[in-house]
Amino acid sequence: MKLNVIVDERALTVDVPPHMLHEAEDFYRTMDRDMDRGWQMGPEFIENPDKLQRCQIAANKLLVSLSTANETMITLMAGYILKRLPGITGVRIDTGGEMLHTELLYEKPMNAAPAPALSNTASRAEKLGKLEAMEQAGKDVTKVYQVGKSWRFAVRDLKTGEWLESGPMDTEQEAYEKRMRAYKRRLDELTGQKS
């Protein structure tokens, strides 16, 4: 598997042998346990990094490994990102000390069929009460974060489990408003209500 890595104006492709993804799982679990205790991501301490933030942390470790030419660690960190975020094609790593600004890049499917309305979610949603649905929606829609000069958030796709990053927005307020609409849509899906 390949991961495209963009650092400033430089781009490279890290080739991760498929067997390494399996063989390194114990190492990846150790990384996850370390991150379970929280992580300093730039000026912010994140108590419980989510999947996207964990991959931003791994991307930062990849950046450090690039600067020391540690090929093994470069491949391991690329493998972590590929394994934890299926469908990811690349990372644009922030070099200004802000891990939360690292962008995770996905290839958009050319002929993606629209998801059927509430097919899988309706049966699941009937099992969730309002409080459970609010908690789950909070996990399925990330907080707003800054990437360079733009603002984004991500939403977990209920069918695939993959994280889909929003397009860039100029202001934090605009991103927050769109994030709240995405949160409301997810809450409605989980409770079986229609907007």
Side-chain angles (χ1 to χ4, degrees):
M1 297 180 75
K2 296 182 186 308
L3 182 72
N4 297 312
V5 179
I6 303 165
V7 179
D8 294 325
E9 300 304 313
R10 192 177 72 169
L12 66 123
T13 300
V14 180
D15 193 6
V16 181
H19 66 87
M20 179 181 266
L21 294 176
H22 176 70
E23 293 170 2
E25 186 55 38
D26 286 341
F27 178 77
Y28 297 153
R29 280 194 202 109
T30 301
M31 283 178 60
D32 284 331
R33 280 193 299 275
D34 288 346
M35 289 186 263
D36 285 343
R37 293 179 272 199
W39 204 270
Q40 189 73 38
M41 295 183 75
E44 291 185 55
F45 181 81
I46 307 297
E47 286 188 37
N48 187 18
D50 61 25
K51 190 185 292 190
L52 289 175
Q53 292 165 331
R54 288 170 188 253
C55 288
Q56 289 173 317
I57 293 166
N60 189 65
K61 290 178 180 247
L62 195 156
L63 177 65
V64 171
S65 301
L66 283 169
S67 68
T68 59
N70 184 339
E71 293 295 326
T72 302
M73 193 59 78
I74 291 168
T75 307
L76 281 168
M77 292 304 104
Y80 179 90
I81 295 166
L82 288 165
K83 185 138 190 189
R84 296 302 188 253
L85 290 177
I88 192 165
T89 58
V91 292
R92 182 174 288 121
I93 304 174
D94 178 77
T95 57
E98 284 283 350
M99 280 186 247
L100 291 169
H101 292 183
T102 292
E103 262 184 276
L104 305 169
L105 309 171
Y106 297 87
E107 184 176 325
K108 301 229 186 307
M110 292 177 60
N111 295 329
L118 301 180
S119 62
N120 291 343
T121 54
S123 58
R124 182 176 140 188
E126 291 170 4
K127 299 177 186 172
L128 295 182
K130 184 80 169 174
L131 289 176
E132 290 171 307
M134 289 172 70
E135 183 180 341
Q136 185 61 46
K139 291 177 183 175
D140 288 348
V141 181
T142 67
K143 294 180 181 175
V144 168
Y145 52 91
Q146 191 172 15
V147 179
K149 293 181 180 179
S150 63
W151 296 87
R152 296 174 181 257
F153 62 92
V155 178
R156 188 176 65 82
D157 183 295
L158 287 173
K159 287 181 70 178
T160 65
E162 294 179 13
W163 288 93
L164 306 172
E165 198 171 38
S166 71
M169 287 158 265
D170 293 332
T171 66
E172 183 176 13
Q173 182 63 33
E174 176 188 9
Y176 178 77
E177 289 169 4
K178 287 187 178 179
R179 183 238 179 234
M180 288 308 295
R181 286 195 292 270
Y183 173 85
K184 174 78 170 89
R185 277 192 306 274
R186 178 56 46 91
L187 186 62
D188 289 347
E189 290 171 359
L190 293 170
T191 58
Q193 296 180 6
K194 295 187 180 183
S195 303

